[in-house]
Amino acid sequence: MNQGSEPAAQVPDDDALDSYSQTVMRVAETVTPHVAAIEMTSTRRNSRFRVGAGSAVLFTEDGYLLTNSHVVAGTNKGHAAFADGSRTDLELVGADPLSDLAVVRGKAPRVAPAQFGDAETLRVGQLVIAVGNPLGLAGSVTAGVVSGLGRSIPVWAGGNRRVIEDVIQTDAALNPGSSGGALADARGRIVGINTAVAGAGLGLAVPINTTTRRIIFALLTDGRVRRAYLGVVSTPIRLNASAVIRTGQRDGLRVVEVLAGSPAGRSGLQAGDIILTAGGRAVSNAESLQKLLFSDAIGQPLQIRVLRDGTEVDLVAVPEEMQANGQ
C-alpha cells in the first residue's frame, strides 16, 4: 500500500440532497430580489431615530410592500433597502394588528414584484424557504418544512389580548429581523409572511390565502380593516369515526381557549368544544371562521353549532367590532 497517497475525494452521490439544494438555491435566487430590509423611524427633537426594523416583501409594480404590523411599530415613515442596492423612503399605508400585517409604500422599484401563492395548498412536511434580514444580515435564506397548519397565537395589542389565527408553523430558522420577510414554497411563490419567533426551532408565518388577500385589499383601499371580533383560540381537529357518522363532517375546529369577556364567552362557547358550523357553513380551520368575521358580521347574530361531550349544541354569538389597534 502506498502510504503517501492521498485518499480519493468523496463525491456526494445523494441525488435527493442535490435536488433539495438545487431547489433551495433556485427559490433563493427568485425570492431574494423581492425582499427588502426596512427600518421605521420617528422624529424627536428634530432628529429621527429607529423605532422598528425587519423585512418586507414587494408585491406590486408601483412600490407597495407587505410586512408585519409589529415591524411598523406605530410609526408611519421609514426606508427600505433591496438586495440590488437600491433604496427608497417608505410611508405607512395601513396596518392590521389582528393579522400582524401592514402595507407600506416606496417609489416604483427596479425589480419585479413577488408572486403570491396560496397557503391553503400547503401540507405538513412540505419544503418551505424563508428569506429575510435577521440580525441585520441582508438576504439571509433558511429552509425547513411546514411543521403545522392552522395554529392560533395569542398576542397583546393596545393592552388587550387578541388572537392571530391560522398561522403557519415552520422549523425554518427565524431570528429578530426576519419578521416581515417571505416564506416561499418550492416554486418560489410567497405563501406566508414570517411573523415571530416563538422559541428554539419554531417559526411562525401569516399565511397568504383568501382571507389575508382580503385584509391586504382593505389596507390598500382604506388603510385599515374593519372586522368582527369573536375571541376564541382554536386548532383544526379530525373528528373520530362516531362523530363523523353523527355529524356528517370529517373535520372541525377545537376550541383551545375562550377569551374572557369576549362575544364567544358570552355565547356559552367553552374550551374543549368542537365547532362544526358557523353561520350555517362547515368550519374546518381558522380561515373558514375568519371569512365570516369581516365588517358585515359586526352586531349580527352568528349561529354556531358545536360538538360538546358527544352531543351537538347550538349557540348564538354576536361579534363585536374590532377597534383600532386591536382594542
Side-chain angles (χ1 to χ4, degrees), residues 37-43 48-56 67-80 88-95 102-105:
I38 69 171
E39 288 190 355
M40 303 302 292
T41 58
S42 185
T43 302
R48 299 198 69 82
F49 63 97
R50 189 176 78 171
V51 294
S55 307
T67 185
N68 287 146
S69 175
H70 76 262
V71 169
V72 303
T75 187
N76 57 13
K77 299 289 185 180
H79 60 266
T88 180
D89 291 334
L90 295 177
E91 183 176 45
L92 178 65
V93 176
V103 173
V104 293
R105 187 181 186 184

Side-chain angles (χ1 to χ4, degrees), residues 1-7:
M1 182 177 73
N2 185 356
Q3 295 181 341
S5 63
E6 296 262 341

Side-chain angles (χ1 to χ4, degrees), residues 175-195:
N175 290 286
S178 296
S179 288
L183 188 71
D185 64 14
R187 296 175 64 181
R189 299 171 302 186
I190 312 304
V191 291
I193 299 297
N194 300 320
T195 189

Side-chain angles (χ1 to χ4, degrees), residues 56-287:
V57 180
L58 178 72
F59 70 100
T60 74
E61 294 181 348
D62 49 353
Y64 286 94
L65 298 97
L66 187 62
T67 185
N68 287 146
S69 175
H70 76 262
V71 169
V72 303
T75 187
N76 57 13
K77 299 289 185 180
H79 60 266
F82 289 91
D84 65 358
S86 61
R87 298 173 63 89
T88 180
D89 291 334
L90 295 177
E91 183 176 45
L92 178 65
V93 176
D96 179 44
L98 187 60
S99 64
D100 199 20
L101 291 176
V103 173
V104 293
R105 187 181 186 184
K107 66 182 180 182
R110 295 187 295 199
V111 297
Q115 179 185 359
F116 280 166
D118 183 3
E120 290 298 296
T121 65
L122 293 177
R123 297 292 181 268
V124 173
Q126 182 174 335
L127 172 67
V128 285
I129 296 93
V131 180
N133 303 281
L135 306 173
L137 302 174
S140 294
V141 177
T142 59
V145 298
V146 174
S147 305
L149 294 166
R151 305 301 198 203
S152 297
I153 54 172
V155 295
W156 287 93
N160 292 283
R161 192 162 178 261
R162 300 301 185 219
V163 180
I164 300 176
E165 297 277 12
D166 211 24
V167 174
I168 302 166
Q169 177 187 337
T170 174
D171 66 352
L174 302 177
N175 290 286
S178 296
S179 288
L183 188 71
D185 64 14
R187 296 175 64 181
R189 299 171 302 186
I190 312 304
V191 291
I193 299 297
N194 300 320
T195 189
V197 179
L202 178 62
L204 302 170
V206 179
I208 299 297
N209 55 29
T210 301
T211 299
T212 50
R213 286 173 185 268
R214 188 172 177 179
I215 290 169
I216 294 166
F217 179 77
L219 292 176
L220 286 169
T221 55
D222 301 324
R224 64 183 289 258
V225 180
R226 187 169 181 258
R227 61 197 303 161
Y229 163 62
L230 196 58
V232 60
V233 181
S234 60
T235 187
I237 187 173
R238 179 62 59 91
L239 302 183
N240 60 37
S242 61
V244 171
I245 295 172
R246 184 181 303 111
T247 66
Q249 291 184 213
R250 293 184 178 274
D251 304 287
L253 199 58
R254 183 171 64 86
V255 176
V256 177
E257 181 182 0
V258 178
L259 303 185
S262 67
R266 290 192 292 273
S267 75
L269 202 63
Q270 301 175 7
D273 287 346
I274 299 174
I275 302 176
L276 300 172
T277 65
R281 301 181 183 181
V283 172
S284 59
N285 54 38
E287 191 200 1

